[in-house]
Amino acid sequence: MSELIDVPRGLTGVVAAETSIGDVDGAAGMYHYRGYPAVDLARAHSFEDVWHLLVVGELPDATTRGSFLDRVAAAAADPAVAGVVETVAARTGDPLTGLRSAWPLLASARATRPLYDLDEDARLDDAVAFAAVAPRVIAAVARGSDPGPTGGDLVADYLAALTGIRPDPAHERALTAYLIAAMDHGFNASTFTARVIASTGADMAACLTGALGALSGPLHGGAPARALESLDRAGDDPESWIRGELAAGRRLMGFGHAVYRTTDPRSALLRAVAEGFGGPRVRQALAFQDTAERLLAAHKPDRPLHANVEFYAAVVMEECGIPPEMFTPTFALARTVGWTAHVLEQARDPKIIRPSARYVGRPVSRRGA
């Protein structure tokens, strides 16, 4: 047996693979997708263009954009999708549960094969197909009926399906910025889960379903709704409420990050988006952030704790008309794109991910039970 190597709890700082998809520089407070600063992409590009960048490897030109949009539209309009969406919408009340159910059902309907048995183009077909159905499934479960395939503008169609009204350009642009900013962010728990499953050669649906299971945990994908809840509880006196939370030893949701020791660039992006809307809720959030960061600096002077992406994501999604119970499903919609990119990359590596564990239980007895 090879010698065991101890690593930090949670694998913090351990390099587990190489990737060309993107990187997070916590010290500098920046992250990028394939060399493009992600915040710049979020400000200026469409959801579909950045989707293409992540799974294909480059930003599309006019020709490749058209062919990619056609590929997405064809996948979303696959006749097999309607039956799956109808089944899931009728039997599940939670959008995340619905999506976790829909992907295996669609895999069965499409006779999806293991990644191990597919060539690169077939894997890309599966990546696009399973990501393309996500907004339709999420919206169908939320509203109780199938909104139908996208009409060619995924973000606007998704918002319209959730709110019942066609969004104005400001709200569509705001949600687009959030979705792009949330597509990928290093080897987080759900992305790593997707890669572990992909390393076994399993099919795309299995990889995505496992990733979504990891995302469903409140420490990963559930923070935006909890951050908004904090604003509601704090009301007009954030200082008293925050002091009470810190005195009780409770975590302040929406603040601090496992990687960033500076301002989370996603938070700065979404704060600017929120300030563009203005209004009482945004003013409340700004005051809450200022108070929280001041009190956190005094409470934990050795560890900088700033507003993270979840804090202003909650404010922006609320301004767009998305209810709190849909915050995590909307995050999942964005992150699905990143998961598929990582699955495609991992599928090119024939080495299965198989770490070891150090046994610390009861010693082995030589005298029987």
Side-chain angles (χ1 to χ4, degrees), residues 221-232 253 310 313-314 317 323-328:
R226 293 169 186 257
L228 196 67
E229 187 177 294
S230 297
L231 287 178
D232 290 335
M253 301 304 286
E310 284 88 4
M317 282 191 277
E325 64 271 18
M326 294 303 297
F327 288 177
T328 300

Short mmCIF file of all heavy atoms in Angstrom, two decimals, residues 221-232 253 310 313-314 317 323-328:
data_model
loop_
_atom_site.label_atom_id
_atom_site.label_comp_id
_atom_site.label_asym_id
_atom_site.label_seq_id
_atom_site.Cartn_x
_atom_site.Cartn_y
_atom_site.Cartn_z
N GLY A 221 -25.64 26.34 -1.67
CA GLY A 221 -26.50 27.09 -2.56
C GLY A 221 -27.65 27.82 -1.91
O GLY A 221 -28.38 28.55 -2.58
N GLY A 222 -27.85 27.64 -0.61
CA GLY A 222 -29.04 28.20 0.02
C GLY A 222 -28.87 29.55 0.66
O GLY A 222 -29.81 30.08 1.25
N ALA A 223 -27.67 30.13 0.57
CA ALA A 223 -27.40 31.36 1.31
C ALA A 223 -28.17 32.59 0.83
O ALA A 223 -28.50 33.45 1.65
CB ALA A 223 -25.90 31.66 1.31
N PRO A 224 -28.47 32.79 -0.48
CA PRO A 224 -29.17 34.03 -0.86
C PRO A 224 -30.51 34.21 -0.14
O PRO A 224 -30.80 35.31 0.35
CB PRO A 224 -29.36 33.85 -2.37
CG PRO A 224 -28.22 33.00 -2.79
CD PRO A 224 -28.03 32.03 -1.67
N ALA A 225 -31.31 33.15 -0.06
CA ALA A 225 -32.60 33.28 0.62
C ALA A 225 -32.40 33.60 2.10
O ALA A 225 -33.15 34.39 2.70
CB ALA A 225 -33.41 32.00 0.45
N ARG A 226 -31.39 33.00 2.71
CA ARG A 226 -31.12 33.25 4.11
C ARG A 226 -30.57 34.67 4.33
O ARG A 226 -30.80 35.28 5.38
CB ARG A 226 -30.14 32.20 4.65
CG ARG A 226 -30.76 30.80 4.69
CD ARG A 226 -29.73 29.71 4.96
NE ARG A 226 -30.36 28.40 4.84
CZ ARG A 226 -30.71 27.63 5.86
NH1 ARG A 226 -30.50 28.07 7.10
NH2 ARG A 226 -31.28 26.45 5.68
N ALA A 227 -29.84 35.19 3.35
CA ALA A 227 -29.35 36.56 3.45
C ALA A 227 -30.52 37.55 3.42
O ALA A 227 -30.55 38.53 4.18
CB ALA A 227 -28.37 36.86 2.32
N LEU A 228 -31.49 37.29 2.55
CA LEU A 228 -32.66 38.15 2.47
C LEU A 228 -33.47 38.07 3.77
O LEU A 228 -34.00 39.08 4.25
CB LEU A 228 -33.54 37.74 1.28
CG LEU A 228 -34.57 38.77 0.83
CD1 LEU A 228 -33.89 40.00 0.24
CD2 LEU A 228 -35.51 38.17 -0.20
N GLU A 229 -33.53 36.89 4.34
CA GLU A 229 -34.21 36.70 5.62
C GLU A 229 -33.54 37.54 6.70
O GLU A 229 -34.21 38.10 7.59
CB GLU A 229 -34.18 35.21 5.98
CG GLU A 229 -34.99 34.83 7.20
CD GLU A 229 -34.94 33.33 7.43
OE1 GLU A 229 -35.48 32.58 6.58
OE2 GLU A 229 -34.35 32.91 8.45
N SER A 230 -32.22 37.65 6.64
CA SER A 230 -31.50 38.47 7.61
C SER A 230 -31.91 39.94 7.49
O SER A 230 -32.08 40.62 8.50
CB SER A 230 -29.98 38.34 7.40
OG SER A 230 -29.55 37.02 7.63
N LEU A 231 -32.06 40.42 6.26
CA LEU A 231 -32.50 41.80 6.06
C LEU A 231 -33.88 42.02 6.67
O LEU A 231 -34.14 43.04 7.30
CB LEU A 231 -32.52 42.14 4.57
CG LEU A 231 -31.18 42.34 3.88
CD1 LEU A 231 -31.39 42.61 2.39
CD2 LEU A 231 -30.39 43.48 4.51
N ASP A 232 -34.77 41.05 6.46
CA ASP A 232 -36.13 41.18 6.99
C ASP A 232 -36.11 41.19 8.52
O ASP A 232 -36.85 41.95 9.16
CB ASP A 232 -37.00 40.03 6.49
CG ASP A 232 -37.32 40.15 5.00
OD1 ASP A 232 -37.28 41.28 4.48
OD2 ASP A 232 -37.58 39.11 4.36
N MET A 253 -25.20 35.08 7.44
CA MET A 253 -25.33 34.60 6.07
C MET A 253 -25.15 35.74 5.08
O MET A 253 -25.69 36.83 5.25
CB MET A 253 -26.69 33.93 5.87
CG MET A 253 -26.94 32.76 6.80
SD MET A 253 -25.67 31.46 6.71
CE MET A 253 -26.07 30.71 5.13
N GLU A 310 -23.78 35.96 -2.38
CA GLU A 310 -25.15 35.64 -2.00
C GLU A 310 -25.92 36.86 -1.49
O GLU A 310 -27.13 36.97 -1.69
CB GLU A 310 -25.16 34.54 -0.92
CG GLU A 310 -24.86 33.15 -1.45
CD GLU A 310 -23.37 32.85 -1.47
OE1 GLU A 310 -22.59 33.72 -0.99
OE2 GLU A 310 -22.98 31.77 -1.95
N ALA A 313 -26.89 39.03 -4.48
CA ALA A 313 -27.69 38.19 -5.38
C ALA A 313 -29.12 38.15 -4.91
O ALA A 313 -30.06 38.21 -5.71
CB ALA A 313 -27.11 36.78 -5.43
N ALA A 314 -29.31 38.05 -3.59
CA ALA A 314 -30.67 38.03 -3.04
C ALA A 314 -31.42 39.32 -3.36
O ALA A 314 -32.59 39.30 -3.76
CB ALA A 314 -30.60 37.84 -1.52
N MET A 317 -32.14 39.46 -7.27
CA MET A 317 -33.21 38.54 -7.69
C MET A 317 -34.57 39.01 -7.18
O MET A 317 -35.57 38.90 -7.89
CB MET A 317 -32.90 37.12 -7.22
CG MET A 317 -31.86 36.42 -8.08
SD MET A 317 -31.69 34.65 -7.77
CE MET A 317 -30.59 34.67 -6.37
N PRO A 323 -39.14 35.08 -6.39
CA PRO A 323 -39.40 34.84 -4.97
C PRO A 323 -38.25 34.11 -4.30
O PRO A 323 -37.48 33.40 -4.97
CB PRO A 323 -40.67 33.98 -4.98
CG PRO A 323 -40.66 33.32 -6.31
CD PRO A 323 -40.02 34.28 -7.26
N PRO A 324 -38.07 34.27 -2.98
CA PRO A 324 -36.93 33.67 -2.28
C PRO A 324 -36.78 32.17 -2.48
O PRO A 324 -35.66 31.66 -2.56
CB PRO A 324 -37.20 34.02 -0.81
CG PRO A 324 -37.99 35.27 -0.87
CD PRO A 324 -38.87 35.14 -2.08
N GLU A 325 -37.90 31.45 -2.56
CA GLU A 325 -37.80 30.00 -2.73
C GLU A 325 -37.22 29.61 -4.08
O GLU A 325 -36.85 28.45 -4.30
CB GLU A 325 -39.16 29.33 -2.53
CG GLU A 325 -40.22 29.71 -3.55
CD GLU A 325 -41.05 30.93 -3.16
OE1 GLU A 325 -40.58 31.70 -2.27
OE2 GLU A 325 -42.14 31.10 -3.72
N MET A 326 -37.11 30.58 -4.99
CA MET A 326 -36.54 30.31 -6.31
C MET A 326 -35.10 30.78 -6.44
O MET A 326 -34.51 30.65 -7.51
CB MET A 326 -37.40 30.98 -7.38
CG MET A 326 -38.81 30.39 -7.51
SD MET A 326 -38.77 28.62 -7.87
CE MET A 326 -37.94 28.63 -9.45
N PHE A 327 -34.52 31.32 -5.37
CA PHE A 327 -33.15 31.81 -5.45
C PHE A 327 -32.16 30.68 -5.73
O PHE A 327 -31.32 30.78 -6.64
CB PHE A 327 -32.75 32.51 -4.15
CG PHE A 327 -33.41 33.85 -3.93
CD1 PHE A 327 -33.18 34.57 -2.76
CD2 PHE A 327 -34.26 34.42 -4.87
CE1 PHE A 327 -33.76 35.80 -2.53
CE2 PHE A 327 -34.87 35.65 -4.66
CZ PHE A 327 -34.61 36.34 -3.48
N THR A 328 -32.22 29.62 -4.95
CA THR A 328 -31.28 28.52 -5.16
C THR A 328 -31.51 27.81 -6.49
O THR A 328 -30.54 27.50 -7.19
CB THR A 328 -31.34 27.52 -3.99
OG1 THR A 328 -31.00 28.21 -2.77
CG2 THR A 328 -30.37 26.38 -4.18
#
